[in-house]
Amino acid sequence: SNDWVSQIEIKIMEDIKNIFIKKKILIYGLGKSGLSSYYFLKKNNNLYLYDDDKKVIKDKKIKKIFIRPENIFKNNFDFIVISPGININTCSLKNFLKKNLKKIITDLDIFYSHYFKNRNITITGTNGKSTTAKILFDILKNQKFDARLTGNIGNPILSEKKITSKTIFVIEASSYQIEYSKKFKANYALILNISPDHLERHGTFINYVKSKFKLFSNQTKQDYSFFDIKNKYLKKEIKKSKIYSQIIKVDTKSINKHIRRIKNPYFLTEGHQNNLAFIFAITKKFRLKKTNLFKVINNFKGLKYRQQIIYQSKELTLINDSKATSYSSSINILKSLKKVFWIVGGVPKFGDQFFMTKKDCINFKVYIYGKNKNHFIKQLKNKIDYQSFNHLKDALKKIIFDIKIEKKNEHKTILFSPSAASFDSFKNFEDRGKKFNTLVKKLNLKKLINV
C-alpha cells in the first residue's frame, strides 16, 4: 500500500539524516562549493582539505588542515566530497579516487541529508538551465514562496541560511554534479533538452545522457520527472531507464497557446519558448496564478551574457551570448534570426558539430577569431560565408565595416555567440562577455555604424 511505501521512505530519510555526522571526510576542490561544504560540515566531522592548486586558499585556518597528497593515500576516509569541476579521470588524485568511487559524494548529497523534508526543484539539460531556474525562482518569489536559487546559479546550496520547513530550493544541476551524487533526490526533476556536450569529460554522448538521467535514480512515486516528449535522445533513454517517479510529458509546442500573452522579446527564440513550456508544466503542479506568472515573464530581463540584448534599434540588434559554449547553444538563437553577423571562436568542444544546413544559413555571415579558427573554418566553410581573424577586436571591426555597405533599411543582428569554451583567452564565459561589452563601448558602435 501507499502507507507502507511512505513508511519505508521515512525510514530511508531518517537514516540519511545522520549520515554526515562524526565522519572522517576529505573535501577535494576548494572553490565556492568546496568551501561551503567545509563550513557546513566542520562542527560535527573530522575534515581534511585538498586542492590541486594550494594558492587558491587564502584563509590561514583552512591552510592548517590542508593535507599533503602523499598523506591522502594513507588515510581511510568515510566520504570524499568532490567539486563538480574535477575530472576524476585526469586530476592529480585520479588513482585514489578510482579506488574509492563508492565514497565520492557532492554538496547536493550533504544538502539532502539535512533538508530532505524541504521540496526541491532540480533543473538540468544542455541549454537554458540558468535562465529557466531564474524565471522559476522569480515566479515563486512573486507568489510569496520562500524560494532559494542555488547550484550552478546563485549561492552554493550549503551557503543558504534561515531555512524553514516551507523553504523551496530551485537547483540548477550540471551533469558533473548529478554524476558524482549518491544520496540526493529531486522532488521535481526537469531535463529541459539534450544535445551533444561535455564529451571531452563524459567520453561519449551515451555517457552524457546517462549522467543526466541519474537525476531520477533516487526518485519515488511521490516525485515528478519532466521531459520533452519529442526529444529523440530523451525518448530513447526513458524506455531503457527505470523511472519510479510520476512522468510529466512536456510538449514544447504547448507554449503556442500562451504566446499572445507573452510580450517580452527575450522569448522570441525557440529555445526560450521550449523552456517556458517546462515553466508552465511545473507551475501547474504548484497551482500558481497565471496572471502573476505572465507578469514575471514579461518583466524578465534575462541573465548576463546569455542571449543578452545589449543594444537595440529599428535597424540593429546586438546580442552578447558569451555563455554559448557549443554549437547547439548558438543554434537555439540562430534559428530565430534573419540577417546575422555571427562571431565565433574559442576552445571547441570535443565532438561538437554544427547541424544547420546551407539553406538554413543563407542570410548568415560568420566571423571566426582566435587560435583555433581553422577548426571552425573546417566545420562552417561549406555552409556559411566566413572570414577569419586573429583577435575578437579585429572581427568586430570588420563587422562594422561590412554593415555599413549593407542595405540601409534591412534589420541586422550582430550575434556574439562563440560556440566554444572561453579558456584560450579568458577566465570564463563571464570574463569573455564582459570584455566583449567593453570592446563594443570602446569602438563606439552606434556612431561608427551611423544607426
Side-chain angles (χ1 to χ4, degrees), residues 110-341:
I110 301 164
F111 153 77
Y112 188 69
S113 74
H114 284 75
Y115 303 116
F116 57 83
K117 290 181 181 179
N118 289 80
R119 284 186 291 177
N120 75 75
I121 303 165
T122 306
I123 300 167
T124 194
T126 304
N127 300 307
K129 296 185 293 293
S130 299
T131 300
T132 306
K134 181 63 167 66
I135 297 167
L136 187 54
F137 167 75
D138 288 349
I139 289 167
L140 290 169
K141 291 292 282 185
N142 178 265
Q143 300 202 25
K144 309 304 179 188
F145 285 87
D146 174 21
R148 309 297 174 90
L149 185 61
T150 61
N152 275 7
I153 185 173
N155 292 325
I157 200 160
L158 296 177
S159 296
E160 290 296 326
K161 308 293 182 187
K162 297 180 180 177
I163 295 161
T164 72
S165 60
K166 292 182 179 179
T167 303
I168 297 175
F169 293 86
V170 179
I171 306 167
E172 182 199 332
S174 71
S175 56
Y176 307 150
Q177 284 173 299
I178 298 165
E179 183 180 32
Y180 291 151
S181 296
K182 300 281 197 308
K183 311 293 181 183
F184 175 73
K185 180 169 82 78
N187 304 121
Y188 301 84
L190 286 67
I191 294 188
L192 302 177
N193 46 64
I194 287 280
S195 56
D197 200 6
H198 300 302
L199 302 189
E200 72 286 349
R201 174 85 168 252
H202 294 290
T204 67
F205 182 51
I206 291 169
N207 289 342
Y208 173 60
V209 174
K210 283 181 178 177
S211 72
K212 294 287 190 187
F213 266 75
K214 198 181 168 197
L215 184 61
F216 310 113
S217 59
N218 290 337
Q219 285 192 302
T220 68
K221 290 178 182 178
Q222 312 301 316
D223 305 310
Y224 298 89
S225 52
F226 295 74
F227 299 95
D228 174 0
I229 59 172
K230 291 181 180 175
N231 187 296
K232 61 181 181 181
Y233 304 119
L234 293 177
K235 283 170 75 175
K236 196 174 180 180
E237 193 62 30
I238 288 169
K239 288 178 182 177
K240 293 190 293 182
S241 301
K242 289 181 180 179
I243 299 175
Y244 300 105
S245 56
Q246 300 175 53
I247 295 177
I248 309 297
K249 295 177 180 180
V250 179
D251 182 358
T252 54
K253 298 300 177 188
S254 64
I255 195 65
N256 292 338
K257 64 185 177 185
H258 302 295
I259 212 75
R260 62 183 178 81
R261 297 182 68 180
I262 299 168
K263 311 297 182 187
N264 191 338
Y266 188 80
F267 296 103
L268 291 175
T269 68
E270 185 183 335
H272 282 151
Q273 288 178 10
N274 289 350
N275 294 338
L276 275 184
F278 280 85
I279 295 285
F280 279 96
I282 194 162
T283 51
K284 191 176 180 180
K285 286 292 170 192
F286 278 74
R287 297 178 182 176
L288 302 183
K289 295 174 186 174
K290 283 266 179 76
T291 308
N292 296 38
L293 190 146
F294 283 108
K295 185 180 177 182
V296 172
I297 289 169
N298 286 324
N299 289 328
F300 186 69
K301 301 298 182 188
L303 298 174
K304 275 189 173 182
Y305 319 130
R306 295 166 171 90
Q307 300 185 12
Q308 182 188 15
I309 298 170
I310 58 174
Y311 174 81
Q312 192 164 36
S313 70
K314 288 181 181 179
E315 295 84 8
L316 180 70
T317 300
L318 183 57
I319 300 172
N320 187 337
D321 190 29
S322 177
K323 181 64 172 69
T325 57
S326 66
Y327 284 128
S328 63
S329 300
S330 297
I331 287 169
N332 269 336
I333 188 167
L334 283 168
K335 282 181 178 178
S336 66
L337 302 172
K338 292 178 181 177
K339 189 73 176 178
V340 186
F341 298 79

Side-chain angles (χ1 to χ4, degrees), residues 300-405:
F300 186 69
K301 301 298 182 188
L303 298 174
K304 275 189 173 182
Y305 319 130
R306 295 166 171 90
Q307 300 185 12
Q308 182 188 15
I309 298 170
I310 58 174
Y311 174 81
Q312 192 164 36
S313 70
K314 288 181 181 179
E315 295 84 8
L316 180 70
T317 300
L318 183 57
I319 300 172
N320 187 337
D321 190 29
S322 177
K323 181 64 172 69
T325 57
S326 66
Y327 284 128
S328 63
S329 300
S330 297
I331 287 169
N332 269 336
I333 188 167
L334 283 168
K335 282 181 178 178
S336 66
L337 302 172
K338 292 178 181 177
K339 189 73 176 178
V340 186
F341 298 79
W342 177 28
I343 306 171
V344 173
V347 182
K349 291 283 186 76
F350 175 75
D352 197 18
Q353 292 182 48
F354 185 71
F355 289 113
M356 292 182 84
T357 66
K358 189 174 182 177
K359 189 178 178 181
D360 296 328
C361 306
I362 199 161
N363 288 314
F364 299 171
K365 289 184 179 179
V366 64
Y367 298 75
I368 301 166
Y369 76 91
K371 298 171 187 175
N372 299 299
K373 54 182 180 286
N374 288 336
H375 171 89
F376 295 99
I377 290 169
K378 190 176 179 181
Q379 283 246 354
L380 302 174
K381 66 180 180 180
N382 295 321
K383 295 183 178 181
I384 313 178
D385 288 339
Y386 78 90
Q387 299 177 54
S388 64
F389 307 86
N390 290 326
H391 303 287
L392 176 57
K393 184 179 180 180
D394 301 327
L396 191 53
K397 279 183 175 179
K398 187 60 169 64
I399 288 175
I400 293 166
F401 177 82
D402 288 351
I403 285 179
K404 283 184 177 182
I405 59 175

